[in-house]
Amino acid sequence: MEASRKLVCRQRQVLFFFLFLHLALAGFESRRYSVVEEAEGSSFVTNLAKDLGLGQGELCSRGARVISKGNKLYLQLDQESGDLLLNKKLDREELCGQTEPCVLRFQVLLENPLEFFQAELQVTDINDHTPVFRDGDMLLKISENSLPGTTFPLKNAQDMDVGQNNIENYIISPNSYFRVLTRKRSDGRKYPELVLDKVLDREEEAEFRLTLTAQDGGSPPRSGTAHIYIEVVDINDNAPEFEQPFYRVKIPEDSPKGFLVVKVSATDVDTGVNGEISYSLSQASEDISKTFEINAMTGEIRLKKQLDFETTQSYEVNIEAIDTGSLSGKCTVLIQVVDVNDNAPEVTMSALTGQIPENSPETVVAVFSVSDLDSEENGKVSCSVQYDLPFLLKSSMENFYTLVTERPLDRETRAEYNIIIAVTDLGTPRLKTEHNITVLVSDVNDNAPTFTQTSYTLWVRENNSPALHIGSVSATDTDAGANAQVTYSLLPPPDPLVPLASLVSINPDNGHLFALTSLDYEALRAFEFRVGATDRGSPALSSQALVRVLVADANDNAPFVLYPLQNASAPCTELVPRAAEPGYLVTKVVAVDGDAGQNAWLSYQLLKATEPGLFGVWAHNGEVRTARLLSERDAPKQRLVVLVKDNGEPPLSASVTLHVLLVDGFSQPYLPAPEAEAAASAPADPLTVYLVVALASVSSLFLFSVLVFVAVRLCRRGGAASAGRCPVAEGHFPGHLVDVSGTGTLSQSYQYEVCLMGGTGTGEFKFLKPVVPKFQSHFPGEVEENPSFQGSVGI
């Protein structure tokens, strides 16, 4: 349960840390805590909450963490109680070696708000190591003529402990001739020297066996022993002497094995075997013995292994020259290791976020530290990121850096950044370390859907089946996820009278448009509406597009004959004088078609005729004209069937029957209808009939000429006021209006006034004048492509 609560707390720390827009840094004087080495894990070190002046539970709420160089976890923090505990046993000798004091630096990181606190943990040494002599037996040859007070260096013992737990003094077993002095070298280590207190007499005592004891200053103290065998030799009164007591040498740390460090030289004024000298390392520690070697004959000191400046910066090597008489001289070689740039910088990441919302202001991406084990210029580092990325590095303290966004990011421009943190030292040659960070930009709904077109024009043929797919609209959204999911809808039309909901529907998922009802071109030629596209973001964004639906005409209307009327009670009979020339206009068939375009292009043809070849019909305007001169042999009654056909696919047609009466003139007062004449059963004498017809024709022609003359005179006087009435015999020719509209063979709309003689059963029409009316299209401002024909016919 405790582990689960700590995990939740740690997750909340990380979450709160990355929500900060600005980094607030605060510091205080570094605190030092102490712990005894070999203390058990989970040992109490201090209470950080009290030291930092924080309340109970505040460490958890502020996301406190303990970080150290290289992320080595020596300490653990109980966020609930604020106690700082050891994570494991600490071995001071393993951590620091001979360095004293042994200090481990660490930082306390508070994430909410962000604060750093420097602290140090000093590991206190305990006396857990015993002094040890490398050589348990030492042999000394001392000349019998050695003077009292002469000192003889002895091999020192080594103790891994430091401070007072290290070797404090040396003692020797009781004897009458020798005592031991404890000396201290420049590096603080102590070594023994054997002091002669009394003149030796080889004849009295030729050898001594003594015990050398090294004691440390611990409590309780520890000690180690070695055996000294002293052999008194005959007189050899000159010891070797070095040319100089100190040699100072600088050597690069990258020097190879076998590299000549220095050559020492000593001389002995004795002759013979007493003047022969051999060189050796004196009082050499284990580290020095493994690192250097000396040629006993030449005094050349060479490397046994490669040096490491980061481990040891200098060495103090004692050299002893011994002659064959066991007299010796000594010198010291001070070797300074010169640093070379052999360590690349290191990057330690303390905090990192992998995802940043787009359009956010300055945001913390990562917190990290850099270090270099080299020294001086080789250890100085510079840190940078790519210049073309919207990120900045801000330096805080002690080589800590914060990576922040330079400006708000745009996911639609770039959704992922691969940031390379380059750390370069200032050594020669320069060493470089790169650390890669991948940052994802999360989407915010900041882009409205965009239609592929601002307006769409769709065509649908009339008489379509309901639920017909007539087209599609499409919109895209550059956002991601739900922010890019687009839903389509029909927007309310600006005109509430337009029944848009009953005309079309739209699939909200893919923008497919469907016609809900069968459309009729003659009733509705076009309509338009707006479509909206809305994403599923929060808040949702939307856009609009205009859709215009044009209804294409289908050939679903047959031609309609306006003249002659086919539903009159009595058929209309056309009068043609027998003296008419070829091409004489008999009448004109007027027809219209409710369709448009080529579906309304009408053509006329003569389908049947009483006298084939006597009459002809103009295919484009429906005019019926004589094809040749009339003769007496032509029947007076002619019946013509005219076919009117449109140009649709398939074509539709209508037919009209014309009755034509061939007369000798227009003066006959009465002409019987063809049906009445057909009904007469008594045959008449042909000669009598011819005479009567001739007389009637002459009389009628004379009367008609007089009436025409009078009518012309009256029409000129009456002017435009008489346009709605027949000017000839007003009381005998009442007018009737017939609408003539259509797009048939006429290029524009006309209005005709036609007068027929009343009361005779037969008639004659005459188009007096055309009137061109003006019409508006279904939509304001739209010009009718094929204006309809309207006219009035007086019957």
Side-chain angles (χ1 to χ4, degrees):
M1 185 66 180
E2 180 68 15
S4 176
R5 185 170 68 255
K6 289 183 177 180
L7 179 59
V8 172
C9 181
R10 184 176 298 276
Q11 292 174 348
R12 188 167 62 249
Q13 294 169 12
V14 176
L15 177 62
F16 289 165
F17 174 75
F18 294 124
L19 292 177
F20 273 96
L21 304 179
H22 298 282
L23 183 65
L25 299 176
F28 70 106
E29 184 178 356
S30 177
R31 295 175 180 264
R32 176 173 288 188
Y33 303 99
S34 178
V35 64
V36 178
E37 75 168 326
E38 302 297 334
E40 293 296 329
S42 302
S43 297
F44 177 81
V45 177
T46 187
N47 187 283
L48 281 180
K50 292 181 180 180
D51 293 346
L52 301 179
L54 303 176
Q56 185 175 3
E58 192 171 353
L59 288 177
C60 180
S61 64
R62 295 189 62 182
R65 284 194 294 153
V66 174
I67 57 177
S68 60
K69 183 177 181 180
N71 290 331
K72 296 180 180 179
L73 301 178
Y74 300 122
L75 299 171
Q76 59 179 338
L77 176 62
D78 188 339
Q79 294 181 340
E80 297 294 332
S81 63
D83 291 340
L84 185 64
L85 309 175
L86 282 179
N87 200 34
K88 61 180 180 179
K89 283 185 179 183
L90 301 180
D91 187 348
R92 191 208 66 81
E93 287 73 26
E94 179 181 351
L95 295 174
C96 301
Q98 293 297 315
T99 302
E100 182 65 12
C102 182
V103 177
L104 303 179
R105 292 180 173 81
F106 66 95
Q107 295 83 30
V108 179
L109 172 65
L110 301 180
E111 296 181 348
N112 187 17
L114 185 63
E115 289 184 280
F116 284 96
F117 299 94
Q118 298 287 343
E120 298 175 348
L121 178 65
Q122 180 175 350
V123 182
T124 305
D125 183 52
I126 62 173
N127 193 22
D128 57 345
H129 291 86
T130 300
V132 176
F133 288 90
R134 290 187 61 202
D135 296 325
D137 297 318
M138 290 180 280
L139 174 63
L140 293 178
K141 293 182 178 183
I142 301 177
S143 177
E144 65 177 345
N145 64 345
S146 298
L147 296 177
T150 304
T151 61
F152 304 92
L154 301 175
K155 296 180 179 180
N156 62 313
Q158 295 183 1
D159 194 335
M160 297 297 294
D161 296 322
V162 296
Q164 66 179 9
N165 293 327
N166 205 320
I167 296 175
E168 187 70 23
N169 63 338
Y170 293 87
I171 60 175
I172 198 170
S173 56
N175 63 88
S176 303
Y177 292 91
F178 301 95
R179 60 186 174 89
V180 169
L181 294 178
T182 301
R183 302 289 190 185
K184 181 182 290 188
R185 296 192 307 181
S186 61
D187 59 357
R189 296 182 182 181
K190 295 180 179 180
Y191 64 94
E193 281 189 349
L194 186 66
V195 181
L196 180 64
D197 285 337
K198 184 179 177 181
V199 176
L200 298 175
D201 187 357
R202 182 179 180 279
E203 285 72 22
E204 182 179 348
E205 192 168 358
E207 61 182 23
F208 298 90
R209 294 184 180 273
L210 304 175
T211 301
L212 178 63
T213 302
Q215 294 181 333
D216 62 22
S219 180
R222 292 174 177 261
S223 61
T225 61
H227 299 288
I228 302 175
Y229 177 73
I230 300 175
E231 181 179 331
V232 181
V233 296
D234 203 12
I235 295 174
N236 181 17
D237 54 355
N238 291 288
E241 292 184 2
F242 283 91
E243 294 178 353
Q244 57 189 70
F246 291 96
Y247 291 84
R248 300 183 183 276
V249 180
K250 291 183 178 182
I251 177 173
E253 65 172 324
D254 59 348
S255 299
K257 293 180 182 179
F259 181 78
L260 178 61
V261 179
V262 69
K263 180 179 180 181
V264 297
S265 178
T267 58
D268 194 323
V269 296
D270 291 333
T271 59
V273 293
N274 292 329
E276 296 178 359
I277 299 174
S278 63
Y279 302 92
S280 63
L281 301 177
S282 176
Q283 302 175 4
S285 65
E286 183 178 2
D287 186 24
I288 292 177
S289 299
K290 291 181 178 180
T291 306
F292 303 98
E293 64 181 358
I294 188 170
N295 189 311
M297 302 303 295
T298 62
E300 293 178 348
I301 301 176
R302 296 183 179 272
L303 287 178
K304 290 177 66 177
K305 69 173 185 178
Q306 193 167 351
L307 304 177
D308 186 7
F309 175 84
E310 288 69 39
T311 302
T312 307
Q313 289 79 36
S314 63
Y315 294 91
E316 182 179 330
V317 182
N318 294 317
I319 306 299
E320 185 178 28
I322 304 175
D323 59 18
T324 55
S326 298
L327 297 180
S328 63
K330 58 183 179 179
C331 73
T332 301
V333 179
L334 300 178
I335 302 174
Q336 182 178 354
V337 181
V338 179
D339 181 42
V340 296
N341 194 25
D342 58 346
N343 291 280
E346 297 180 357
V347 178
T348 302
M349 195 64 57
S350 300
L352 175 65
T353 179
Q355 196 169 48
I356 299 175
E358 66 173 331
N359 303 330
S360 299
E362 183 177 295
T363 305
V364 176
V365 177
V367 177
F368 61 94
S369 62
V370 296
S371 60
D372 195 312
L373 296 177
D374 294 320
S375 64
E376 298 181 352
E377 293 298 315
N378 296 332
K380 295 179 181 180
V381 297
S382 62
C383 190
S384 64
V385 296
Q386 301 100 306
Y387 70 93
D388 57 342
L389 296 183
F391 298 93
L392 290 176
L393 280 177
K394 292 186 176 181
S395 176
S396 54
M397 59 180 185
E398 289 194 5
N399 288 334
F400 269 89
Y401 290 87
T402 303
L403 181 65
V404 298
T405 57
E406 182 181 16
R407 61 178 182 273
L409 305 179
D410 183 11
R411 190 204 66 84
E412 289 70 41
T413 302
R414 189 168 180 179
E416 179 178 333
Y417 291 89
N418 185 24
I419 307 171
I420 300 177
I421 300 175
V423 184
T424 308
D425 62 25
L426 303 182
T428 302
R430 295 194 175 189
L431 300 180
K432 182 178 181 181
T433 298
E434 293 183 348
H435 188 87
N436 293 339
I437 296 176
T438 300
V439 176
L440 302 178
V441 183
S442 59
D443 185 52
V444 174
N445 192 25
D446 57 347
N447 290 280
T450 303
F451 280 94
T452 56
Q453 301 174 213
T454 57
S455 63
Y456 295 82
T457 300
L458 307 179
W459 285 88
V460 57
R461 185 170 293 277
E462 67 173 329
N463 305 322
N464 59 285
S465 59
L468 175 68
H469 177 235
I470 61 175
S472 302
V473 296
S474 178
T476 58
D477 196 314
T478 55
D479 293 319
N483 297 331
Q485 296 178 4
V486 179
T487 301
Y488 301 91
S489 62
L490 297 178
L491 300 181
D495 186 359
L497 299 179
V498 176
L500 182 62
S502 63
L503 292 177
V504 292
S505 67
I506 190 169
N507 188 317
D509 297 324
N510 54 27
H512 290 347
L513 291 166
F514 299 89
L516 297 180
T517 185
S518 180
L519 301 176
D520 183 8
Y521 173 83
E522 288 71 35
L524 180 64
R525 298 190 177 185
F527 61 94
E528 61 184 24
F529 54 90
R530 288 193 172 273
V531 176
T534 306
D535 59 28
R536 296 185 180 179
S538 179
L541 302 178
S542 63
S543 60
Q544 300 179 9
L546 178 66
V547 179
R548 181 178 177 88
V549 178
L550 302 179
V551 182
D553 181 51
N555 193 26
D556 58 346
N557 291 280
F560 179 76
V561 179
L562 295 176
Y563 182 84
L565 296 178
Q566 298 299 297
N567 57 353
S569 58
C572 180
T573 302
E574 307 296 337
L575 302 179
V576 178
R578 288 185 178 271
E581 297 291 332
Y584 175 81
L585 177 62
V586 178
T587 185
K588 180 174 182 177
V589 178
V590 180
V592 295
D593 195 310
D595 295 319
Q598 67 178 13
N599 295 329
W601 296 351
L602 301 181
S603 62
Y604 303 82
Q605 67 182 71
L606 185 60
L607 190 61
K608 293 181 181 180
T610 303
E611 293 286 344
L614 179 58
F615 298 97
V617 178
W618 286 25
H620 299 295
N621 57 14
E623 293 180 351
V624 180
R625 296 179 180 269
T626 58
R628 59 177 175 80
L629 289 173
L630 280 69
S631 67
E632 293 295 333
R633 290 177 298 176
D634 294 327
K637 294 181 292 181
Q638 298 287 331
R639 182 174 178 271
L640 308 178
V641 178
V642 178
L643 179 67
V644 184
K645 182 172 64 174
D646 61 25
N647 198 38
E649 184 62 37
L652 301 178
S653 62
S655 63
V656 59
T657 302
L658 301 177
H659 296 277
V660 180
L661 184 61
L662 304 182
V663 297
D664 292 329
F666 293 99
S667 60
Q668 295 153 300
Y670 172 76
L671 293 176
E675 290 76 4
E677 293 180 359
S681 58
D685 182 61
L687 182 58
T688 304
V689 172
Y690 293 151
L691 292 175
V692 173
V693 171
L695 181 60
S697 299
V698 172
S699 300
S700 298
L701 182 59
F702 175 77
L703 180 60
F704 179 78
S705 300
V706 173
L707 292 176
V708 170
F709 177 78
V710 173
V712 171
R713 299 292 293 178
L714 291 177
C715 287
R716 290 180 178 177
R717 291 180 181 180
S722 61
R725 302 186 305 275
C726 181
V728 180
E730 180 177 352
H732 299 283
F733 298 93
H736 300 277
L737 297 179
V738 177
D739 287 336
V740 181
S741 62
T743 60
T745 60
L746 302 181
S747 61
Q748 56 184 338
S749 298
Y750 294 89
Q751 186 176 50
Y752 291 92
E753 184 178 88
V754 181
C755 294
L756 295 179
M757 296 177 61
T760 63
T762 63
E764 175 186 4
F765 74 90
K766 187 175 185 181
F767 291 96
L768 299 181
K769 61 178 179 178
V771 179
V772 183
K774 296 182 180 178
F775 292 91
Q776 290 185 346
S777 64
H778 290 78
F779 293 94
E782 181 182 20
V783 178
E784 186 71 32
E785 296 179 1
N786 296 305
S788 61
F789 173 91
Q790 288 189 353
S792 62
V793 181
I795 304 298

